[in-house]
Amino acid sequence: ETGVTQTPRHLVMGMTNKKSLKCEQHLGHNAMYWYKQSAKKPLELMFVYNFKEQTENNSVPSRFSPECPNSSHLFLHLHTLQPEDSALYLCASSQDGAGGYNEQFFGPGTRLTVL
Amino acid sequence: GQNIDQPTEMTATEGAIVQINCTYQTSGFNGLFWYQQHAGEAPTFLSYNVLDGLEEKGRFSSFLSRSKGYSYLLLKELQMKDSASYLCAVRDSNYQLIWGAGTKLIIKP
């Protein structure tokens, strides 16, 4: 595997279900991100982890719970979601503090539908 | 508040040139990024500007004017595969990316 991978690619869940999204980066980066992408809206930053420590939580509802067990893996645990949470969830990684652009590399996303 | 504005949709002809504008108002500035996102795929990095001026990379160029809070992405010799959304993002004083909603570019034969 190369780059940033995400599983599953598609997920349909009911409002009472519990599910998890997984992200893995194979780039040796030290920062990982969760974004929400809704149609015709800007990317919304949800969570940021630097060196496995959460550094940003942009007022995200508690029904979204992130977990970063190591610098290569990131999870987003979902429970009691609402239909308005249906969106594309993107994971990204970057190498921060090492000079250069520090651009973010994105995974293909998980298309989430909440019924 | 922080804001990034770019046109929602643009149409251009194969072989032509198109310019996609981006204006921004952010708390601080630490660089501007352009990303390309094909439908159903991940955004991919295109360019980065932190100083005023033009950065050229093959058929794509990106311009920045920090005093005007303005950037554009210039695509030359358009190909059908350039049909995609183009996202403008500014890194603010906290080193977080503030994103525009993206410009959907439609290329016609």
Side-chain angles (χ1 to χ4, degrees):
Chain A
E1 295 279 13
T2 59
V4 181
T5 57
Q6 290 186 243
T7 54
R9 292 295 309 275
H10 300 272
L11 178 62
V12 179
M13 59 187 289
M15 289 191 285
T16 58
N17 292 157
K18 289 185 180 181
K19 297 287 184 183
S20 296
L21 309 184
K22 179 183 176 182
C23 174
E24 184 174 359
Q25 59 97 358
H26 309 266
L27 301 168
H29 288 164
N30 57 17
M32 297 187 75
Y33 310 79
W34 278 117
Y35 284 95
K36 177 184 179 182
Q37 187 175 36
S38 303
K40 298 185 179 181
K41 288 186 177 180
L43 285 174
E44 298 174 46
L45 179 64
M46 300 175 73
F47 301 104
V48 181
Y49 279 82
N50 286 102
F51 299 98
K52 302 186 301 176
E53 297 296 321
Q54 184 176 310
T55 57
E56 291 288 332
N57 176 346
N58 286 356
S59 303
V60 179
S62 59
R63 57 185 183 269
F64 295 92
S65 174
E67 179 189 0
C68 188
N70 55 60
S71 58
S72 299
H73 293 84
L74 187 63
F75 295 89
L76 187 63
H77 304 299
L78 316 171
H79 65 96
T80 59
L81 293 191
Q82 304 298 312
E84 60 264 29
D85 297 323
S86 298
L88 182 68
Y89 288 84
L90 290 165
C91 174
S93 70
S94 66
Q95 184 62 25
D96 286 355
Y101 302 159
N102 304 141
E103 72 268 31
Q104 294 179 13
F105 292 78
F106 285 83
T110 296
R111 174 66 63 186
L112 174 66
T113 302
V114 181
L115 302 177
Chain B
Q2 307 200 91
N3 195 50
I4 309 282
D5 284 317
Q6 48 181 135
T8 303
E9 188 174 296
M10 300 182 69
T11 303
T13 305
E14 190 177 16
I17 300 173
V18 71
Q19 178 175 309
I20 303 174
N21 295 325
C22 171
T23 58
Y24 62 88
Q25 292 174 308
T26 57
S27 55
F29 178 86
N30 283 294
L32 184 144
F33 295 81
W34 284 96
Y35 279 77
Q36 180 190 60
Q37 186 177 23
H38 285 101
E41 297 183 13
T44 55
F45 169 75
L46 284 179
S47 68
Y48 173 74
N49 295 72
V50 67
L51 299 176
D52 290 351
L54 189 68
E55 294 282 343
E56 297 186 77
K57 193 186 289 187
R59 293 189 298 113
F60 292 8
S61 303
S62 56
F63 172 83
L64 175 67
S65 169
R66 288 171 297 170
S67 62
K68 295 182 179 179
Y70 169 69
S71 172
Y72 67 72
L73 181 69
L74 191 72
L75 292 73
K76 303 177 184 177
E77 301 169 15
L78 286 170
Q79 302 174 10
M80 297 303 293
K81 67 178 182 180
D82 297 329
S83 292
S85 288
Y86 292 86
L87 311 180
C88 174
V90 171
R91 183 186 280 152
D92 69 7
S93 57
N94 293 321
Y95 274 75
Q96 296 302 331
L97 287 182
I98 311 301
W99 294 84
T103 298
K104 183 178 180 180
L105 178 63
I106 300 168
I107 309 296
K108 295 186 175 180

